[in-house]
Amino acid sequence: MKRNHIRIHLTIFRGKSLLLNEDKTLFVDDIYIIAPQLLVVYEDLIHIDLFTVTPSEIINKDTMKILFDPNGILTAKQKNTTLSLTPLEFQDAVDDTVWYLYQYYWSAQRGNEIWSVHLLRNCLEHFAKVLLHKYCPERALLGLKTLSNSLPSDPLHEIVDIMNCMSLVTHEMAVKKLVTFFENESHWIFENVPNKEEIKPLWEKIKDLLH
């Protein structure tokens, strides 16, 4: 899409017809998540995702680039945006990492290989936030999609090694590597999580079963 087309799309969200007639489209969807939202994918695979919110509905976890704000309504919101985890969100990430290891254990015991791999992937999604909270806290909320750019080389190599083993045949190797990685980080994790006693007993038990 040409630069002037992008500028037009960003400034004419007055009616859907103008957006759809600018170029040929491959996909259009009207949805409602936190506000009315319009998704459009054009034939060159450029996409736009437009939605409307009031100042009180803007989520501080969303980063924003202000293109036009003559009355300064969004300036304060822009200063408050963050991709870091709150203490409660960090607690949830640790809890969910261990919880999915627990679910994996029982799935593997039942011989459900497909579900076991799925549960390991869920576990890794939460563990990614745990690692980022330590190594790159300002981007921790992004999780897996920012690991390649945000983790130091050593922990990133361990994640890659784990993911290379996440298959129906080798998931048992993957979980052993994941448990070892969590154990190596566990001192820092339990020193920083708000309520370590909430999850540590389950971790100690599941560690012994999966290590």
Side-chain angles (χ1 to χ4, degrees):
M1 190 184 298
K2 295 179 181 179
R3 184 178 299 275
N4 63 324
H5 286 177
I6 296 175
R7 186 179 299 110
I8 291 171
H9 290 319
L10 291 172
T11 57
I12 64 170
F13 192 40
R14 298 190 305 268
K16 183 170 69 174
S17 60
L18 292 176
L19 291 169
L20 303 186
N21 291 333
E22 192 67 35
D23 291 292
K24 293 181 180 179
T25 60
L26 300 177
F27 174 75
V28 178
D29 193 18
D30 291 295
I31 60 176
Y32 190 101
I33 300 178
I34 60 173
Q37 193 164 348
L38 178 65
L39 300 175
V40 183
V41 179
Y42 294 94
E43 62 180 0
D44 56 6
L45 297 184
I46 296 294
H47 85 280
I48 57 174
D49 182 356
L50 300 179
F51 60 95
T52 56
V53 294
T54 64
S56 63
E57 293 173 323
I58 295 176
I59 300 173
N60 287 341
K61 295 297 182 182
D62 294 333
T63 58
M64 66 177 77
K65 179 180 180 181
I66 299 175
L67 300 180
F68 184 71
D69 184 23
N71 296 320
I73 296 173
L74 297 176
T75 302
K77 290 288 184 179
Q78 185 182 39
K79 291 179 180 179
N80 291 332
T81 57
T82 176
L83 293 174
S84 60
L85 300 180
T86 65
L88 179 58
E89 288 170 334
F90 178 51
Q91 179 81 54
D92 287 343
V94 174
D95 291 356
D96 288 340
T97 300
V98 176
W99 172 247
Y100 280 112
L101 285 174
Y102 167 78
Q103 290 199 54
Y104 167 88
Y105 170 77
W106 286 114
S107 178
Q109 290 294 302
R110 294 190 295 269
N112 192 335
E113 313 292 351
I114 293 175
W115 191 243
S116 295
V117 173
H118 171 74
L119 291 170
L120 273 188
R121 293 188 183 278
N122 285 346
C123 175
L124 195 59
E125 287 181 7
H126 296 288
F127 189 44
K129 293 182 179 180
V130 173
L131 293 174
L132 288 166
H133 190 65
K134 176 182 179 180
Y135 293 104
C136 190
E138 66 275 12
R139 296 178 63 80
L141 193 69
L142 295 175
L144 279 174
K145 65 182 178 181
T146 192
L147 288 187
S148 295
N149 298 320
S150 302
L151 278 187
S153 58
D154 287 347
L156 179 61
H157 176 77
E158 293 195 56
I159 291 294
V160 171
D161 194 25
I162 291 167
M163 295 192 76
N164 281 334
C165 296
M166 283 189 174
S167 72
L168 301 181
V169 177
T170 60
H171 64 83
E172 291 183 354
M173 185 183 302
V175 76
K176 290 182 182 297
K177 292 177 180 290
L178 181 52
V179 168
T180 298
F181 194 3
F182 190 100
E183 173 66 11
N184 291 340
E185 298 285 352
S186 63
H187 178 75
W188 179 87
I189 291 171
F190 292 121
E191 282 291 316
N192 288 274
V193 75
N195 183 9
K196 65 180 180 181
E197 296 306 323
E198 180 175 291
I199 195 62
K200 192 173 183 181
L202 180 59
W203 158 248
E204 295 292 346
K205 182 66 174 181
I206 208 67
K207 174 184 67 173
D208 293 339
L209 292 171
L210 293 175
H211 204 275

